[in-house]
Amino acid sequence: MLLQRIITASILALLVVLAVFQLPSEYFSLVLGLIILVAAWEWSNLAGIRSPLKRGLLLLALVLPMLGLHFWTYFLELIAQSFDWPEVRSYSGALEWLVIPPVLFWILAMILIRSRPSEMLKLQMGTRYKALIGWFVLLSAWLFLSRLRAIWGEGMVLYFLLLIWAADIAAYFIGKKYGQTKLSPEISPGKTVAGMYGALIAGVVCAVALSLFYGYNFMIASDFILLSVLTVLVSIYGDLFFSLAKRQRGVKDSGSILPGHGGILDRIDSLIAAAPFFYAGIFLMSGLVA
Protein backbone atom coordinates (compact mmCIF):
# COMPACT_ATOMS: atom_id res chain seq x y z
CA MET A 1 0.00 0.00 0.00
CA LEU A 2 2.81 2.42 0.87
CA LEU A 3 4.56 1.74 -2.44
CA GLN A 4 1.32 2.33 -4.32
CA ARG A 5 0.82 5.62 -2.45
CA ILE A 6 4.37 6.72 -3.25
CA ILE A 7 4.01 5.92 -6.97
CA THR A 8 0.66 7.70 -7.24
CA ALA A 9 1.91 10.69 -5.25
CA SER A 10 5.06 10.97 -7.39
CA ILE A 11 3.07 10.95 -10.63
CA LEU A 12 0.61 13.51 -9.29
CA ALA A 13 3.42 15.75 -8.03
CA LEU A 14 5.13 15.67 -11.43
CA LEU A 15 1.90 16.55 -13.24
CA VAL A 16 1.17 19.39 -10.81
CA VAL A 17 4.67 20.87 -11.15
CA LEU A 18 4.41 20.70 -14.94
CA ALA A 19 1.04 22.47 -14.78
CA VAL A 20 2.43 25.18 -12.51
CA PHE A 21 5.40 25.97 -14.75
CA GLN A 22 4.16 25.13 -18.24
CA LEU A 23 0.61 26.42 -18.30
CA PRO A 24 -0.30 30.11 -18.63
CA SER A 25 -2.17 31.40 -15.60
CA GLU A 26 -5.53 31.21 -17.42
CA TYR A 27 -5.06 27.53 -18.26
CA PHE A 28 -3.69 26.80 -14.81
CA SER A 29 -6.86 28.31 -13.37
CA LEU A 30 -8.93 26.16 -15.75
CA VAL A 31 -7.17 22.94 -14.79
CA LEU A 32 -7.44 23.84 -11.11
CA GLY A 33 -11.13 24.52 -11.64
CA LEU A 34 -11.65 21.04 -13.11
CA ILE A 35 -9.91 19.49 -10.10
CA ILE A 36 -12.11 21.53 -7.77
CA LEU A 37 -15.23 20.35 -9.60
CA VAL A 38 -14.20 16.71 -9.12
CA ALA A 39 -13.64 17.48 -5.43
CA ALA A 40 -17.07 19.14 -5.31
CA TRP A 41 -18.67 15.99 -6.74
CA GLU A 42 -17.01 13.98 -3.96
CA TRP A 43 -18.07 16.53 -1.35
CA SER A 44 -21.66 16.24 -2.52
CA ASN A 45 -21.53 12.59 -1.49
CA LEU A 46 -20.10 13.50 1.92
CA ALA A 47 -22.88 16.08 2.27
CA GLY A 48 -25.48 13.39 1.64
CA ILE A 49 -26.62 14.57 -1.79
CA ARG A 50 -27.75 11.46 -3.64
CA SER A 51 -29.48 12.96 -6.66
CA PRO A 52 -27.15 13.37 -9.69
CA LEU A 53 -29.20 16.42 -10.69
CA LYS A 54 -28.61 18.15 -7.36
CA ARG A 55 -24.93 17.23 -7.52
CA GLY A 56 -24.82 18.81 -10.96
CA LEU A 57 -26.43 21.96 -9.55
CA LEU A 58 -23.65 22.19 -6.99
CA LEU A 59 -21.09 22.03 -9.79
CA LEU A 60 -22.99 24.69 -11.72
CA ALA A 61 -23.10 26.86 -8.60
CA LEU A 62 -19.30 26.70 -8.62
CA VAL A 63 -18.76 27.21 -12.35
CA LEU A 64 -20.80 30.42 -12.58
CA PRO A 65 -18.94 32.40 -9.87
CA MET A 66 -15.63 30.97 -11.15
CA LEU A 67 -16.36 32.52 -14.53
CA GLY A 68 -17.46 35.78 -12.93
CA LEU A 69 -14.35 36.02 -10.76
CA HIS A 70 -12.02 35.02 -13.59
CA PHE A 71 -13.39 37.69 -15.91
CA TRP A 72 -13.87 40.30 -13.16
CA THR A 73 -11.42 42.83 -14.60
CA TYR A 74 -12.89 42.36 -18.08
CA PHE A 75 -16.35 43.13 -16.72
CA LEU A 76 -15.06 46.27 -15.05
CA GLU A 77 -13.37 47.38 -18.26
CA LEU A 78 -16.58 46.77 -20.20
CA ILE A 79 -18.57 48.86 -17.68
CA ALA A 80 -15.94 51.61 -17.76
CA GLN A 81 -16.11 51.89 -21.53
CA SER A 82 -19.87 51.40 -21.89
CA PHE A 83 -20.85 53.94 -19.25
CA ASP A 84 -17.86 56.28 -19.47
CA TRP A 85 -17.05 55.46 -15.86
CA PRO A 86 -13.25 55.05 -15.61
CA GLU A 87 -13.32 55.10 -11.80
CA VAL A 88 -14.93 51.65 -11.76
CA ARG A 89 -11.57 50.14 -12.71
CA SER A 90 -10.40 50.83 -9.17
CA TYR A 91 -12.69 48.03 -7.98
CA SER A 92 -10.38 45.43 -9.53
CA GLY A 93 -8.69 45.05 -6.14
CA ALA A 94 -11.97 44.36 -4.39
CA LEU A 95 -11.36 40.63 -4.80
CA GLU A 96 -8.60 40.81 -2.20
CA TRP A 97 -11.20 41.45 0.49
CA LEU A 98 -12.82 38.10 -0.30
CA VAL A 99 -9.93 36.35 1.44
CA ILE A 100 -11.17 37.46 4.86
CA PRO A 101 -14.23 35.13 5.17
CA PRO A 102 -12.36 31.87 4.36
CA VAL A 103 -9.47 32.81 6.64
CA LEU A 104 -11.90 33.45 9.50
CA PHE A 105 -13.78 30.25 8.67
CA TRP A 106 -10.69 28.07 8.88
CA ILE A 107 -9.48 29.72 12.07
CA LEU A 108 -12.88 29.10 13.65
CA ALA A 109 -12.95 25.51 12.37
CA MET A 110 -9.48 24.94 13.81
CA ILE A 111 -10.51 26.28 17.22
CA LEU A 112 -13.70 24.22 17.35
CA ILE A 113 -12.07 20.98 16.20
CA ARG A 114 -9.26 21.48 18.71
CA SER A 115 -11.41 22.42 21.67
CA ARG A 116 -14.63 20.45 21.04
CA PRO A 117 -13.94 17.44 18.81
CA SER A 118 -16.69 15.25 20.30
CA GLU A 119 -19.33 17.95 19.93
CA MET A 120 -18.25 18.62 16.35
CA LEU A 121 -18.46 14.92 15.55
CA LYS A 122 -22.02 14.75 16.89
CA LEU A 123 -23.08 17.99 15.19
CA GLN A 124 -26.12 17.42 13.00
CA MET A 125 -26.22 19.68 9.98
CA GLY A 126 -28.65 19.69 7.07
CA THR A 127 -27.59 18.68 3.58
CA ARG A 128 -28.08 22.21 2.26
CA TYR A 129 -25.75 23.69 4.85
CA LYS A 130 -23.11 21.06 4.15
CA ALA A 131 -23.40 21.76 0.43
CA LEU A 132 -23.04 25.48 1.10
CA ILE A 133 -19.93 24.95 3.23
CA GLY A 134 -18.37 22.80 0.52
CA TRP A 135 -19.21 25.39 -2.13
CA PHE A 136 -17.66 28.13 -0.02
CA VAL A 137 -14.37 26.43 0.85
CA LEU A 138 -13.82 24.95 -2.61
CA LEU A 139 -14.53 28.23 -4.41
CA SER A 140 -12.23 30.10 -2.01
CA ALA A 141 -9.40 27.62 -2.55
CA TRP A 142 -9.74 27.87 -6.34
CA LEU A 143 -9.85 31.67 -6.29
CA PHE A 144 -6.82 32.30 -4.12
CA LEU A 145 -4.62 29.56 -5.52
CA SER A 146 -5.42 30.92 -8.99
CA ARG A 147 -4.59 34.45 -7.89
CA LEU A 148 -1.41 33.28 -6.20
CA ARG A 149 -0.29 31.86 -9.55
CA ALA A 150 -1.43 34.89 -11.57
CA ILE A 151 -0.02 37.61 -9.30
CA TRP A 152 3.00 36.10 -7.55
CA GLY A 153 3.99 33.56 -10.16
CA GLU A 154 5.06 29.96 -10.45
CA GLY A 155 7.75 30.10 -7.78
CA MET A 156 5.38 31.11 -5.00
CA VAL A 157 2.86 28.44 -5.98
CA LEU A 158 5.61 25.83 -6.02
CA TYR A 159 6.79 26.94 -2.58
CA PHE A 160 3.25 26.68 -1.23
CA LEU A 161 2.82 23.18 -2.65
CA LEU A 162 6.23 22.02 -1.40
CA LEU A 163 5.43 23.44 2.03
CA ILE A 164 2.23 21.41 2.32
CA TRP A 165 3.75 18.28 0.82
CA ALA A 166 6.81 18.44 3.08
CA ALA A 167 4.59 18.95 6.13
CA ASP A 168 2.40 16.01 5.12
CA ILE A 169 5.39 13.70 4.60
CA ALA A 170 7.04 14.78 7.86
CA ALA A 171 3.80 14.29 9.80
CA TYR A 172 3.38 10.78 8.38
CA PHE A 173 6.86 9.43 9.07
CA ILE A 174 7.51 11.20 12.38
CA GLY A 175 4.05 10.25 13.56
CA LYS A 176 4.70 6.62 12.63
CA LYS A 177 8.01 6.52 14.51
CA TYR A 178 7.40 8.72 17.53
CA GLY A 179 3.65 9.17 17.71
CA GLN A 180 2.17 8.21 21.07
CA THR A 181 -0.38 10.87 21.91
CA LYS A 182 -3.22 11.20 19.43
CA LEU A 183 -3.97 14.67 18.08
CA SER A 184 -7.71 14.14 17.69
CA PRO A 185 -8.57 10.45 18.27
CA GLU A 186 -12.31 11.01 17.94
CA ILE A 187 -11.96 12.39 14.42
CA SER A 188 -8.76 10.88 13.00
CA PRO A 189 -7.05 8.19 15.11
CA GLY A 190 -4.05 8.10 12.80
CA LYS A 191 -2.89 11.65 13.48
CA THR A 192 -0.54 12.24 16.39
CA VAL A 193 0.83 15.22 18.27
CA ALA A 194 4.35 14.16 17.28
CA GLY A 195 3.28 14.14 13.66
CA MET A 196 1.90 17.66 14.01
CA TYR A 197 5.16 18.91 15.49
CA GLY A 198 7.04 17.18 12.68
CA ALA A 199 4.89 19.01 10.15
CA LEU A 200 5.50 22.35 11.87
CA ILE A 201 9.26 21.73 11.92
CA ALA A 202 9.09 20.92 8.20
CA GLY A 203 7.40 24.29 7.71
CA VAL A 204 10.28 26.04 9.48
CA VAL A 205 12.84 24.18 7.37
CA CYS A 206 11.04 25.13 4.15
CA ALA A 207 10.86 28.80 5.14
CA VAL A 208 14.52 28.92 6.16
CA ALA A 209 15.55 27.25 2.89
CA LEU A 210 13.51 29.76 0.88
CA SER A 211 14.93 32.70 2.83
CA LEU A 212 18.50 31.51 2.30
CA PHE A 213 17.88 30.89 -1.40
CA TYR A 214 16.58 34.42 -1.98
CA GLY A 215 18.83 36.08 0.59
CA TYR A 216 16.03 37.61 2.63
CA ASN A 217 16.98 39.71 5.62
CA PHE A 218 16.12 38.60 9.16
CA MET A 219 12.81 40.47 9.30
CA ILE A 220 11.44 39.04 6.06
CA ALA A 221 12.76 35.57 6.89
CA SER A 222 11.04 35.71 10.28
CA ASP A 223 7.75 36.66 8.63
CA PHE A 224 8.09 33.80 6.16
CA ILE A 225 8.81 31.32 8.94
CA LEU A 226 5.77 32.50 10.90
CA LEU A 227 3.53 32.40 7.82
CA SER A 228 4.78 28.93 6.84
CA VAL A 229 4.24 27.49 10.32
CA LEU A 230 0.74 28.96 10.61
CA THR A 231 -0.13 27.78 7.09
CA VAL A 232 0.94 24.25 7.99
CA LEU A 233 -1.09 24.41 11.20
CA VAL A 234 -4.20 25.46 9.28
CA SER A 235 -3.57 22.71 6.72
CA ILE A 236 -3.49 20.09 9.48
CA TYR A 237 -6.86 21.17 10.80
CA GLY A 238 -8.18 21.45 7.26
CA ASP A 239 -7.34 17.77 6.91
CA LEU A 240 -9.14 17.09 10.20
CA PHE A 241 -12.16 19.07 8.99
CA PHE A 242 -12.59 16.80 5.98
CA SER A 243 -11.87 13.74 8.13
CA LEU A 244 -14.73 14.92 10.34
CA ALA A 245 -17.05 15.09 7.33
CA LYS A 246 -16.01 11.59 6.22
CA ARG A 247 -16.49 10.15 9.70
CA GLN A 248 -19.95 11.71 9.96
CA ARG A 249 -20.79 10.17 6.59
CA GLY A 250 -19.34 6.81 7.66
CA VAL A 251 -16.76 6.49 4.88
CA LYS A 252 -12.97 6.16 4.93
CA ASP A 253 -12.23 8.05 1.71
CA SER A 254 -14.04 10.71 -0.27
CA GLY A 255 -13.67 8.64 -3.45
CA SER A 256 -11.59 5.99 -5.21
CA ILE A 257 -10.22 7.78 -8.26
CA LEU A 258 -6.59 7.72 -7.05
CA PRO A 259 -5.00 4.30 -6.36
CA GLY A 260 -3.82 4.09 -2.77
CA HIS A 261 -5.04 7.60 -1.96
CA GLY A 262 -8.81 7.55 -2.26
CA GLY A 263 -10.44 10.54 -3.92
CA ILE A 264 -9.28 13.91 -5.16
CA LEU A 265 -10.65 15.54 -2.03
CA ASP A 266 -8.50 13.24 0.10
CA ARG A 267 -5.38 14.61 -1.62
CA ILE A 268 -6.19 18.31 -1.64
CA ASP A 269 -7.96 18.72 1.70
CA SER A 270 -4.94 20.37 3.32
CA LEU A 271 -4.43 22.64 0.30
CA ILE A 272 -8.06 23.77 0.36
CA ALA A 273 -7.73 25.08 3.90
CA ALA A 274 -4.23 26.47 3.55
CA ALA A 275 -4.57 28.33 0.22
CA PRO A 276 -6.62 31.35 1.42
CA PHE A 277 -4.52 31.68 4.58
CA PHE A 278 -1.22 31.55 2.69
CA TYR A 279 -2.49 34.00 0.09
CA ALA A 280 -3.59 36.44 2.80
CA GLY A 281 -0.15 36.25 4.41
CA ILE A 282 1.67 36.79 1.13
CA PHE A 283 -0.61 39.72 0.34
CA LEU A 284 0.17 41.33 3.69
CA MET A 285 3.89 40.69 3.20
CA SER A 286 3.92 41.86 -0.42
CA GLY A 287 5.36 45.24 0.49
CA LEU A 288 8.29 43.52 2.20
CA VAL A 289 9.13 40.90 -0.41
CA ALA A 290 8.65 43.14 -3.43
Side-chain angles (χ1 to χ4, degrees):
M1 179 63 74
L2 179 58
L3 178 61
Q4 188 180 47
R5 287 175 62 89
I6 292 174
I7 293 173
T8 302
S10 299
I11 295 173
L12 289 175
L14 177 61
L15 293 175
V16 169
V17 171
L18 287 174
V20 169
F21 283 95
Q22 297 299 319
L23 294 178
S25 60
E26 293 82 3
Y27 288 101
F28 175 81
S29 180
L30 174 62
V31 171
L32 180 61
L34 294 175
I35 294 173
I36 290 295
L37 291 179
V38 176
W41 184 267
E42 294 176 350
W43 175 263
S44 66
N45 176 55
L46 297 182
I49 303 175
R50 292 185 172 86
S51 168
L53 176 60
K54 291 182 179 180
R55 289 190 178 188
L57 290 176
L58 176 60
L59 301 190
L60 182 62
L62 277 167
V63 169
L64 294 179
M66 281 179 177
L67 290 173
L69 292 167
H70 182 75
F71 292 106
W72 175 249
T73 54
Y74 297 97
F75 291 149
L76 293 180
E77 184 63 29
L78 179 62
I79 293 173
Q81 295 183 11
S82 300
F83 297 96
D84 192 23
W85 185 16
E87 294 82 5
V88 77
R89 296 188 181 96
S90 63
Y91 288 98
S92 61
L95 295 182
E96 307 297 354
W97 292 95
L98 296 180
V99 79
I100 296 177
V103 167
L104 294 178
F105 173 86
W106 286 116
I107 291 175
L108 178 61
M110 181 171 63
I111 293 172
L112 291 176
I113 291 173
R114 178 62 181 169
S115 62
R116 300 183 178 182
S118 299
E119 290 86 342
M120 293 296 292
L121 195 59
K122 296 175 184 177
L123 181 65
Q124 298 295 321
M125 188 175 294
T127 301
R128 291 182 181 179
Y129 293 107
K130 290 182 179 179
L132 180 61
I133 290 173
W135 173 87
F136 171 69
V137 299
L138 290 171
L139 181 62
S140 300
W142 169 84
L143 174 60
F144 293 108
L145 195 50
S146 294
R147 289 183 69 79
L148 186 69
R149 170 65 171 78
I151 298 174
W152 278 281
E154 305 94 334
M156 194 61 74
V157 175
L158 180 62
Y159 173 75
F160 170 69
L161 294 174
L162 290 176
L163 173 68
I164 301 303
W165 292 341
D168 188 44
I169 293 170
Y172 179 82
F173 286 104
I174 293 179
K176 282 286 186 181
K177 186 170 181 62
Y178 301 106
Q180 297 292 331
T181 305
K182 302 298 183 181
L183 179 62
S184 184
E186 303 94 334
I187 297 175
S188 183
K191 290 181 174 57
T192 64
V193 174
M196 180 186 70
Y197 285 136
L200 297 177
I201 292 171
V204 173
V205 172
C206 287
V208 171
L210 180 77
S211 300
L212 291 174
F213 181 80
Y214 283 105
Y216 291 148
N217 61 41
F218 178 78
M219 185 64 69
I220 298 176
S222 299
D223 289 340
F224 250 114
I225 292 172
L226 178 60
L227 174 60
S228 297
V229 169
L230 292 178
T231 299
V232 168
L233 186 62
V234 171
S235 76
I236 292 170
Y237 281 91
D239 192 333
L240 284 172
F241 172 84
F242 287 99
S243 295
L244 173 65
K246 286 182 283 188
R247 186 163 287 272
Q248 287 180 333
R249 181 64 172 156
V251 297
K252 182 179 182 296
D253 299 316
S254 64
S256 56
I257 193 173
L258 301 175
H261 287 264
I264 290 291
L265 198 55
D266 295 311
R267 288 302 89 210
I268 66 172
D269 47 11
S270 299
L271 296 171
I272 290 170
F277 192 91
F278 184 77
Y279 181 89
I282 294 297
F283 178 76
L284 292 174
M285 290 175 57
S286 59
L288 295 176
V289 300

